[in-house]
Structure formats: C-alpha cells, structure tokens
Amino acid sequence: TAGTTAGPVSWRPGSRCWRPPRPMTALRCNVSDLLHHPASRRPERIAIPGSELGGTAGARLSSAPLVVDVMLEQVPDGIVVHGTVAAEYETECSRCLVPVRDTFSVLVRELFEKAPIDGETYQLEGDEVDLELPVRDAVLLDLPFAPLCRDDCAGLCPVCGVDHNKTDCQCDLNPPDARWDALSALTFDD
C-alpha cells in the first residue's frame, strides 16, 4: 500500500505500482513540447561545473563551466540532439610533467529513441532526454591521451631528470649495454 512504502517514491500515470523517481541530473531535459509537435525544435544551453562530469586517467575536466549548446529536434524516430560541448581540462604534460590547462570544443550529434539500438542511440525516457551519457562519451573521447605543454616540449632527461625545456645536461642518452662488455676485450688477428 502507499502508506507503507519506505523512502522517496513517485506515482506514474498509467502505472499500477509505486516506483522510485529517476535520478535527476543537470543534463536532463524535458522534451514533451517537442514530442507532441512534429518537426519542432528548440535550442538548449546548459552550463555545469566540468568537474561534475569526471575525466580519464590522463586528464580531468576543471571546475570551469562545461557548456552544452545544442539544438533539440523532433524526428519520427525520437529526438535528435546536435550542437557543441565546450569545456576546460587540466592535467600534466606527458613529457615534462608541468601542469597543463587548455580548452576544447567537441561536436555532438545523437539520437534518442524509445527503443534504442545498443551502442548506437540513446534511451528516450518518457518525455525526457538525459544528455549526460552522450556528453560524457563525446568529451572523454576528445580529451588528449598524451597532453603536451607545447608541441616542441623536450621533456625530462631519462638519466638525471632535468627539464630539457629549461636547461641541457651532459648525460649519455645511449649508454653501452653492460651485457656486451665482455665482447670489448676480444681481439682479432688479421
């Protein structure tokens, strides 16, 4: 019965049971106005702290705003979302380990439908689209795998660790392999 259910619950029209509400995210958009008007469209602009979306092992989004600027468009199959996502990431240079902070913008174009094709389209959940997964997919694929502080970064010396962008060292970068030292004592008679 309704009075004995523990925790937050919601009643959905046409449903015969109580169900917990879907988790709300800042990237969830109500599209009921589009679903009931064929070929309708509307712009949507959402800004959230980039750090809320997370990152990868190599780079993470900064707390600067992640801006989703998209057009939502009703099509016979569902809702098409197309536009851009812009954000700022912070990480370390993969060669010299200095902090790197840069901005990027990535295009997003996805289809939300009631019966999504696994790995190709996203779920249209009633009258809502949740942009979190397509935005996360687009952003994480666009983050640099091996970021550089600059294109001509010389990196660190593998022997002494000095930053070659600031100074040079006299380390031998190709030392002889000690396993072959015995061969240097060999002499050949002509």
Side-chain angles (χ1 to χ4, degrees):
T1 64
T4 61
T5 306
V9 292
S10 65
W11 178 258
R12 296 177 192 253
S15 175
R16 301 177 135 226
C17 60
W18 289 87
R19 293 188 184 160
R22 288 186 300 258
M24 286 302 294
T25 70
L27 297 174
R28 187 178 291 272
C29 301
N30 188 312
V31 293
S32 60
D33 58 328
L34 300 175
L35 292 173
H36 303 295
H37 299 93
S40 57
R41 59 191 312 191
R42 83 161 191 262
E44 190 75 41
R45 184 176 175 90
I46 304 169
I48 63 168
S51 55
E52 285 186 17
L53 200 60
T56 64
R60 64 187 175 281
L61 296 179
S62 72
S63 58
L66 175 133
V67 179
V68 179
D69 195 3
V70 293
M71 182 65 69
L72 305 172
E73 187 172 357
Q74 196 270 349
V75 294
D77 294 335
I79 301 290
V80 170
V81 176
H82 56 92
T84 60
V85 177
E88 179 182 82
Y89 68 88
E90 52 192 24
T91 186
E92 294 175 339
C93 176
S94 61
R95 291 185 188 161
C96 69
L97 304 178
V98 300
V100 174
R101 184 179 215 121
D102 202 2
T103 59
F104 69 95
S105 180
V106 61
L107 295 175
V108 63
R109 183 173 179 85
E110 299 297 343
L111 173 63
F112 287 81
E113 53 188 357
K114 292 185 190 260
I117 300 168
D118 192 32
E120 293 183 30
T121 62
Y122 292 92
Q123 178 74 44
L124 176 61
E125 300 171 5
D127 289 346
E128 295 179 327
V129 294
D130 190 352
L131 300 174
E132 184 174 352
L133 283 176
V135 165
R136 180 185 304 276
D137 291 348
V139 165
L140 295 183
L141 287 173
D142 201 59
L143 286 174
F145 180 70
L148 298 176
C149 59
R150 61 182 200 233
D151 289 337
D152 64 342
C153 177
L156 302 176
C157 173
V159 178
C160 69
V162 72
D163 186 348
H164 282 175
N165 295 313
K166 296 178 182 174
T167 185
D168 290 327
C169 64
Q170 302 305 316
C171 296
D172 183 6
L173 298 181
N174 296 313
D177 190 337
R179 296 174 294 178
W180 299 100
D181 284 347
L183 293 178
S184 62
L186 286 177
T187 59
F188 295 100
D189 294 331
D190 287 337

